[in-house]
């Protein structure tokens, strides 16, 4: 795939992702606002009740529902697409089975780096509001005004970042799992946006811990890992569930699955396929 072809591929894939991001921004925003309303209701009772609410906020049903729905809608679609890449094959899995495979691949990172981190940030926001109120001697009306005027904007920005990260995670996990279960031998190619927001770009590249600019076009066997030459980090794909935040948050890279072919141009079947 040439640089021009990669650019076309990236734009096409990005347009697909943006539709999902726009959809789930609303779900995450509503979930964040719902958790904040619980805090405000407790605050109406007393500061002690508000602190009790914060200490008890260890999980968010709304955030969890949105993340699971992304796996069901986005992850499954990409898994099926890449299982059947360039060749019509009988589907062996139901959506529920694909979901199970994707969740097994993501492992504890789905919750530890997803739901729990999001809730942790919400708790920090709530504690910051309480501390500011104590410093400035706020009454309940002051808290309510601040929450109604300031928090929605903060949560919109958070919802945007969360949606971009979680949609990307679902796309790439689904792509990887689907290709892994495919009956054909494959390679994978890193495709970066290559603009001034790309990690490691020549304009501000020295400020980035990661370098996705020079990962663009790197092609490896499917079971091998991409290598970031700047950090030495090995990545299974963009949004690798084992990757650090420096490689994941707001990353807009994607990767392409390439079928291996023999000397006659025919697809190469795997010797054995492990569906579980």
């Amino acid at each position: 795939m040439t640089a021009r072809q990669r650019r076309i591929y990236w734009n096409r894939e990005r347009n697909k992702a943006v539709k999902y991001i726009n959809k789930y921004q609303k779900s995450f925003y509503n979930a964040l606002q719902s958790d904040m309303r619980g805090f405000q209701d407790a605050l109406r009772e007393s500061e002690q009740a508000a602190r009790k609410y914060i200490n008890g906020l260890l999980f968010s049903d709304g955030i969890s529902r949105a993340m699971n729905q992304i796996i069901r809608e986005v992850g499954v679609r990409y898994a099926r697409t890449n299982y059947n890449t360039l060749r019509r094959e009988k589907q062996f899995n139901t959506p529920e089975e694909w979901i199970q495979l994707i969740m097994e691949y993501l492992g504890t990172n789905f919750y530890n780096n997803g739901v729990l981190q999001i809730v942790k940030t919400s708790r920090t926001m709530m504690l910051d509001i309480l501390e500011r109120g104590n410093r400035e001697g706020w009454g309940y009306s002051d808290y309510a005004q601040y929450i109604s005027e300031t928090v929605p904007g903060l949560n919109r920005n958070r919802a945007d970042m969360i949606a971009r990260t979680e949609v990307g995670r679902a796309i790439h996990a689904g792509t990887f799992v689907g290709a892994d279960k495919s009956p054909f031998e494959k390679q994978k190619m890193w495709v970066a946006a290559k603009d001034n927001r790309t990690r490691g770009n020549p304009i501000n590249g020295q400020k980035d811990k990661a370098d996705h600019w020079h990962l663009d076009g790197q092609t490896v066997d499917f079971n091998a890992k991409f290598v970031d030459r700047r950090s030495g980090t090995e990545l299974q794909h963009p949004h690798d569930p084992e990757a650090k935040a420096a490689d994941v948050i707001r990353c807009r890279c994607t990767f392409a699955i390439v079928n291996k072919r023999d000397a006659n141009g025919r697809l190469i079947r795997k010797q054995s396929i492990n569906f579980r």
Side-chain angles (χ1 to χ4, degrees), residues 54-271:
I54 295 171
N55 291 333
L57 187 63
L58 303 176
F59 193 78
S60 171
D61 288 336
I63 296 295
S64 180
R65 279 196 302 272
M67 288 178 61
N68 278 282
Q69 183 57 35
I70 289 174
I71 296 297
R72 174 173 290 276
E73 181 180 2
V74 183
V76 170
R77 174 186 173 183
Y78 278 80
R80 283 182 155 174
T81 297
N82 286 279
Y83 174 69
N84 286 336
T85 305
L86 298 181
R87 182 71 174 262
R88 208 91 172 125
E89 289 287 322
K90 182 179 179 181
Q91 292 287 356
F92 71 93
N93 275 24
T94 65
E96 285 68 29
E97 289 172 316
W98 277 120
I99 291 169
Q100 181 180 345
L101 289 170
I102 294 169
M103 293 299 284
E104 287 175 357
Y105 174 64
L106 292 174
T108 58
N109 289 282
F110 179 78
Y111 286 105
N112 292 347
N113 294 336
V115 180
L116 300 185
Q117 283 298 318
I118 294 167
V119 173
K120 182 180 178 181
T121 300
S122 294
R123 293 174 64 195
T124 299
M125 285 178 61
M126 295 169 192
L127 285 171
D128 288 346
I129 291 171
L130 279 180
E131 290 175 5
R132 179 171 181 174
N134 281 329
R135 288 196 308 270
E136 300 183 13
W138 287 357
Y140 174 74
S141 61
D142 299 307
Y143 281 112
Q145 181 178 0
Y146 180 85
I147 290 171
S148 66
E149 291 180 355
T150 304
V151 171
L154 298 175
N155 279 342
R156 285 191 187 91
N157 290 334
R158 289 186 65 203
D160 176 74
M161 182 181 70
I162 294 166
R164 291 178 186 279
T165 300
E166 296 307 323
V167 166
R169 192 199 308 271
I171 287 174
H172 297 118
T175 298
F176 184 87
V177 169
D180 184 47
K181 300 306 176 186
S182 169
F184 302 107
E185 294 283 350
K186 297 177 184 292
Q187 292 179 309
K188 54 192 179 185
M189 177 186 292
W190 192 286
V191 182
K194 299 214 79 172
D195 57 21
N196 60 6
R197 293 165 57 194
T198 303
R199 288 166 167 85
N201 73 77
I203 299 174
N204 66 354
Q206 299 308 312
K207 299 178 182 179
D208 297 322
K209 295 180 180 178
D211 184 358
H212 293 184
W213 181 278
H214 292 102
L215 275 171
D216 183 58
Q218 189 176 127
T219 303
V220 298
D221 283 342
F222 183 78
N223 291 317
K225 292 188 176 183
F226 298 104
V227 179
D228 182 338
R229 294 180 188 134
R230 171 175 296 176
S231 65
T233 301
E234 295 184 350
L235 299 165
Q236 196 69 262
H237 51 73
H239 290 94
D240 185 328
E242 300 293 334
K244 296 179 180 179
D247 276 299
V248 174
I249 302 300
R250 292 190 183 275
C251 176
R252 295 169 300 130
C253 297
T254 187
F255 72 119
I257 299 298
V258 182
N259 286 287
K260 285 187 176 181
R261 296 179 181 273
D262 62 20
N264 296 315
R266 293 175 297 197
L267 298 177
I268 303 172
R269 279 191 171 271
K270 294 176 181 176
Q271 295 299 311

